[in-house]
Amino acid sequence: AVLAGYLHMLPYICPEMEAPQREAIESLEKIPLVYANVALRNWRAFEEAGFHRIYSPQALFESVALDFPVSMGGVKFSRTPDDPIIAHLQYVPAEPGLTEREQHRAGRAKLYQMTFEDFETAIVEQMTGMLGPFGFDAERDIAGITVNRWPHGYAYEYNELYDDWSWSPENGPHLTARRPIGRMAVANSDSSALAYVHGAIDAADRAVNELLAL
Protein backbone atom coordinates (compact mmCIF):
# COMPACT_ATOMS: atom_id res chain seq x y z
CA ALA A 1 0.00 0.00 0.00
CA VAL A 2 1.00 3.63 -0.52
CA LEU A 3 -0.16 6.41 1.80
CA ALA A 4 -0.46 9.45 -0.46
CA GLY A 5 -2.14 11.95 1.83
CA TYR A 6 -1.67 14.36 4.70
CA LEU A 7 1.36 12.99 6.51
CA HIS A 8 0.19 14.11 9.97
CA MET A 9 -2.52 11.44 9.78
CA LEU A 10 0.07 8.64 9.65
CA PRO A 11 0.68 8.37 13.44
CA TYR A 12 -3.07 7.90 13.94
CA ILE A 13 -3.24 5.23 11.24
CA CYS A 14 -0.12 3.50 12.58
CA PRO A 15 -0.01 4.04 16.36
CA GLU A 16 2.83 1.52 16.56
CA MET A 17 5.12 4.04 14.84
CA GLU A 18 8.44 4.63 16.58
CA ALA A 19 9.01 7.96 18.35
CA PRO A 20 11.71 9.38 16.00
CA GLN A 21 9.43 9.01 12.98
CA ARG A 22 6.48 10.51 14.86
CA GLU A 23 8.57 13.52 15.92
CA ALA A 24 9.82 14.03 12.36
CA ILE A 25 6.25 14.06 11.03
CA GLU A 26 5.18 16.59 13.67
CA SER A 27 7.93 18.96 12.52
CA LEU A 28 6.39 19.25 9.03
CA GLU A 29 3.82 22.02 9.56
CA LYS A 30 1.38 22.56 6.68
CA ILE A 31 1.17 26.06 5.21
CA PRO A 32 -2.35 27.61 5.24
CA LEU A 33 -3.43 29.28 2.02
CA VAL A 34 -6.43 31.09 0.51
CA TYR A 35 -7.16 31.62 -3.19
CA ALA A 36 -10.12 33.83 -4.05
CA ASN A 37 -11.49 34.31 -7.55
CA VAL A 38 -13.55 37.35 -8.45
CA ALA A 39 -15.64 37.23 -11.62
CA LEU A 40 -15.59 40.69 -13.20
CA ARG A 41 -18.00 41.89 -15.86
CA ASN A 42 -15.14 43.87 -17.41
CA TRP A 43 -11.59 44.96 -16.65
CA ARG A 44 -11.74 48.55 -17.82
CA ALA A 45 -10.45 49.85 -14.48
CA PHE A 46 -7.32 47.67 -14.78
CA GLU A 47 -6.80 49.00 -18.30
CA GLU A 48 -7.23 52.58 -17.12
CA ALA A 49 -4.77 52.02 -14.26
CA GLY A 50 -2.27 50.34 -16.56
CA PHE A 51 -1.80 47.26 -14.35
CA HIS A 52 -2.65 43.57 -14.61
CA ARG A 53 -1.30 42.68 -11.13
CA ILE A 54 -1.29 44.80 -7.98
CA TYR A 55 0.55 43.95 -4.73
CA SER A 56 -0.67 45.11 -1.31
CA PRO A 57 1.68 43.87 1.44
CA GLN A 58 -0.42 45.35 4.27
CA ALA A 59 -3.85 44.27 2.99
CA LEU A 60 -5.56 40.93 3.63
CA PHE A 61 -4.86 39.73 0.09
CA GLU A 62 -1.24 40.23 -0.85
CA SER A 63 -1.99 40.44 -4.57
CA VAL A 64 -4.80 40.91 -7.07
CA ALA A 65 -4.12 39.76 -10.63
CA LEU A 66 -6.04 39.34 -13.84
CA ASP A 67 -6.29 35.81 -15.24
CA PHE A 68 -3.63 34.59 -17.67
CA PRO A 69 -4.53 35.09 -21.35
CA VAL A 70 -4.89 31.39 -22.18
CA SER A 71 -7.30 29.90 -24.73
CA MET A 72 -8.17 26.20 -24.73
CA GLY A 73 -10.47 24.50 -27.21
CA GLY A 74 -13.53 26.65 -27.71
CA VAL A 75 -12.85 28.79 -24.63
CA LYS A 76 -11.11 32.05 -25.54
CA PHE A 77 -9.34 34.39 -23.17
CA SER A 78 -10.72 37.85 -22.43
CA ARG A 79 -9.50 39.92 -25.36
CA THR A 80 -10.72 43.45 -24.60
CA PRO A 81 -11.32 45.44 -21.40
CA ASP A 82 -15.05 45.21 -22.10
CA ASP A 83 -15.00 41.40 -21.83
CA PRO A 84 -15.60 39.51 -18.56
CA ILE A 85 -12.56 38.11 -16.77
CA ILE A 86 -11.45 36.44 -13.54
CA ALA A 87 -9.29 38.27 -10.99
CA HIS A 88 -7.19 36.02 -8.76
CA LEU A 89 -6.41 37.02 -5.15
CA GLN A 90 -4.00 35.28 -2.77
CA TYR A 91 -3.83 35.33 1.02
CA VAL A 92 -1.27 33.50 3.18
CA PRO A 93 -2.13 34.01 6.88
CA ALA A 94 0.86 35.12 8.93
CA GLU A 95 1.52 36.43 12.44
CA PRO A 96 4.68 38.59 12.61
CA GLY A 97 7.05 37.86 15.47
CA LEU A 98 6.51 34.09 15.52
CA THR A 99 8.58 31.33 13.98
CA GLU A 100 7.36 30.02 10.64
CA ARG A 101 5.77 26.89 12.13
CA GLU A 102 4.03 28.99 14.81
CA GLN A 103 2.77 31.37 12.12
CA HIS A 104 1.27 28.48 10.15
CA ARG A 105 -0.56 27.21 13.23
CA ALA A 106 -1.81 30.69 14.11
CA GLY A 107 -2.86 31.30 10.50
CA ARG A 108 -4.78 28.03 10.43
CA ALA A 109 -6.68 28.99 13.58
CA LYS A 110 -7.49 32.37 12.05
CA LEU A 111 -8.89 30.78 8.88
CA TYR A 112 -11.19 28.56 10.92
CA GLN A 113 -12.72 31.66 12.48
CA MET A 114 -13.22 33.72 9.31
CA THR A 115 -16.54 33.79 7.45
CA PHE A 116 -17.24 34.23 3.76
CA GLU A 117 -18.52 37.71 4.61
CA ASP A 118 -15.11 38.57 6.10
CA PHE A 119 -13.44 37.72 2.81
CA GLU A 120 -16.14 39.40 0.71
CA THR A 121 -15.82 42.65 2.68
CA ALA A 122 -12.03 42.59 2.38
CA ILE A 123 -12.18 41.96 -1.37
CA VAL A 124 -14.62 44.82 -2.01
CA GLU A 125 -12.68 47.25 0.17
CA GLN A 126 -9.31 46.27 -1.27
CA MET A 127 -10.31 46.35 -4.93
CA THR A 128 -12.21 49.61 -4.42
CA GLY A 129 -9.15 51.19 -2.80
CA MET A 130 -6.91 50.01 -5.65
CA LEU A 131 -9.15 50.64 -8.61
CA GLY A 132 -11.89 53.03 -7.50
CA PRO A 133 -9.97 56.07 -8.81
CA PHE A 134 -9.89 54.36 -12.23
CA GLY A 135 -13.64 53.78 -12.47
CA PHE A 136 -14.08 50.50 -10.59
CA ASP A 137 -17.50 50.03 -8.95
CA ALA A 138 -17.73 46.80 -6.91
CA GLU A 139 -21.52 46.59 -6.94
CA ARG A 140 -21.62 47.04 -10.71
CA ASP A 141 -18.45 45.24 -11.80
CA ILE A 142 -18.29 42.15 -9.55
CA ALA A 143 -20.46 39.29 -10.83
CA GLY A 144 -19.42 36.67 -8.27
CA ILE A 145 -16.81 35.60 -5.70
CA THR A 146 -15.46 32.21 -4.73
CA VAL A 147 -13.13 31.69 -1.76
CA ASN A 148 -11.02 28.53 -1.59
CA ARG A 149 -9.40 28.16 1.81
CA TRP A 150 -6.90 25.44 2.68
CA PRO A 151 -5.97 25.50 6.39
CA HIS A 152 -3.61 22.62 5.50
CA GLY A 153 -2.48 23.90 2.12
CA TYR A 154 1.12 23.59 0.98
CA ALA A 155 3.72 21.13 2.23
CA TYR A 156 6.28 22.61 4.60
CA GLU A 157 9.50 23.75 2.92
CA TYR A 158 12.60 24.33 5.03
CA ASN A 159 13.44 27.92 5.93
CA GLU A 160 17.04 28.87 6.79
CA LEU A 161 15.78 31.50 9.24
CA TYR A 162 14.22 28.82 11.48
CA ASP A 163 15.63 25.47 10.36
CA ASP A 164 19.04 23.87 10.09
CA TRP A 165 20.75 25.54 7.13
CA SER A 166 21.72 22.12 5.70
CA TRP A 167 18.12 20.92 5.38
CA SER A 168 16.69 20.71 1.87
CA PRO A 169 14.52 18.32 -0.18
CA GLU A 170 17.59 16.05 -0.16
CA ASN A 171 18.29 16.23 3.58
CA GLY A 172 16.08 16.81 6.60
CA PRO A 173 13.52 15.31 9.01
CA HIS A 174 11.16 14.46 6.13
CA LEU A 175 13.49 11.57 5.25
CA THR A 176 12.75 10.01 8.65
CA ALA A 177 9.06 10.96 8.42
CA ARG A 178 8.59 9.05 5.15
CA ARG A 179 10.16 5.76 6.19
CA PRO A 180 8.11 2.77 5.03
CA ILE A 181 6.13 1.02 7.75
CA GLY A 182 6.01 -2.68 7.04
CA ARG A 183 4.57 -3.06 3.54
CA MET A 184 3.27 0.52 3.39
CA ALA A 185 5.28 3.24 1.63
CA VAL A 186 4.73 6.97 2.13
CA ALA A 187 4.17 9.52 -0.65
CA ASN A 188 2.61 13.04 -0.90
CA SER A 189 4.47 16.34 -1.29
CA ASP A 190 4.94 16.41 2.52
CA SER A 191 7.40 13.57 2.16
CA SER A 192 9.42 15.59 -0.39
CA ALA A 193 9.54 18.81 1.69
CA LEU A 194 8.42 20.47 -1.53
CA ALA A 195 5.01 22.08 -1.96
CA TYR A 196 4.54 21.74 -5.71
CA VAL A 197 3.13 19.05 -7.97
CA HIS A 198 6.50 17.70 -9.06
CA GLY A 199 7.30 17.05 -5.39
CA ALA A 200 4.18 14.87 -5.15
CA ILE A 201 5.00 13.07 -8.43
CA ASP A 202 8.56 12.37 -7.31
CA ALA A 203 7.23 11.08 -3.97
CA ALA A 204 4.83 8.70 -5.73
CA ASP A 205 7.60 7.36 -7.94
CA ARG A 206 9.88 6.82 -4.94
CA ALA A 207 7.17 5.15 -2.84
CA VAL A 208 6.25 2.65 -5.58
CA ASN A 209 9.88 1.77 -6.13
CA GLU A 210 10.38 1.26 -2.39
CA LEU A 211 7.58 -1.32 -2.47
CA LEU A 212 9.03 -3.05 -5.53
CA ALA A 213 12.33 -3.39 -3.66
CA LEU A 214 10.74 -5.30 -0.74
Side-chain angles (χ1 to χ4, degrees):
V2 175
L3 174 77
Y6 181 33
L7 203 54
H8 273 234
M9 295 303 298
L10 188 54
Y12 299 95
I13 297 171
C14 301
E16 70 276 17
M17 178 186 295
E18 295 182 354
Q21 187 170 8
R22 184 185 300 272
E23 292 170 3
I25 289 173
E26 291 175 352
S27 74
L28 305 176
E29 193 67 54
K30 281 282 196 181
I31 302 170
L33 178 66
V34 175
Y35 283 163
N37 292 303
V38 180
L40 299 174
R41 293 185 170 88
N42 65 76
W43 46 284
R44 288 191 289 266
F46 281 89
E47 173 74 6
E48 182 67 22
F51 298 111
H52 72 90
R53 179 187 295 269
I54 306 173
Y55 290 96
S56 302
Q58 300 302 315
L60 184 70
F61 291 93
E62 64 187 45
S63 63
V64 176
L66 294 180
D67 199 12
F68 294 108
V70 176
S71 297
M72 297 183 67
V75 179
K76 304 298 182 182
F77 68 83
S78 182
R79 295 177 179 275
T80 76
D82 294 321
D83 294 329
I85 199 169
I86 296 295
H88 178 73
L89 292 77
Q90 177 175 296
Y91 168 46
V92 181
E95 293 292 336
L98 303 178
T99 68
E100 183 179 349
R101 288 180 178 81
E102 290 170 340
Q103 290 195 52
H104 296 334
R105 287 192 287 270
R108 184 174 304 119
K110 185 175 182 179
L111 283 189
Y112 287 141
Q113 298 174 58
M114 295 181 72
T115 66
F116 176 82
E117 287 72 24
D118 293 329
F119 288 105
E120 181 182 41
T121 299
I123 289 169
V124 170
E125 290 180 351
Q126 188 168 339
M127 294 190 70
T128 299
M130 292 173 170
L131 299 165
F134 304 98
F136 178 80
D137 183 312
E139 185 173 351
R140 179 195 65 206
D141 296 336
I142 294 178
I145 296 173
T146 62
V147 177
N148 303 282
R149 67 178 90 187
W150 294 285
H152 303 84
Y154 276 6
Y156 184 80
E157 296 183 349
Y158 297 123
N159 184 330
E160 291 182 3
L161 290 174
Y162 306 109
D163 298 314
D164 189 309
W165 66 269
S166 67
W167 290 355
S168 71
E170 289 72 43
N171 175 49
H174 67 288
L175 301 183
T176 300
R178 73 188 192 193
R179 287 176 183 168
I181 300 176
R183 296 170 61 84
M184 182 176 69
V186 177
N188 191 358
S189 56
D190 291 341
S191 67
S192 295
L194 190 63
Y196 304 103
V197 65
H198 58 289
I201 293 171
D202 290 344
D205 177 76
R206 171 192 47 77
V208 170
N209 279 284
E210 285 176 348
L211 292 180
L212 292 176
L214 292 177

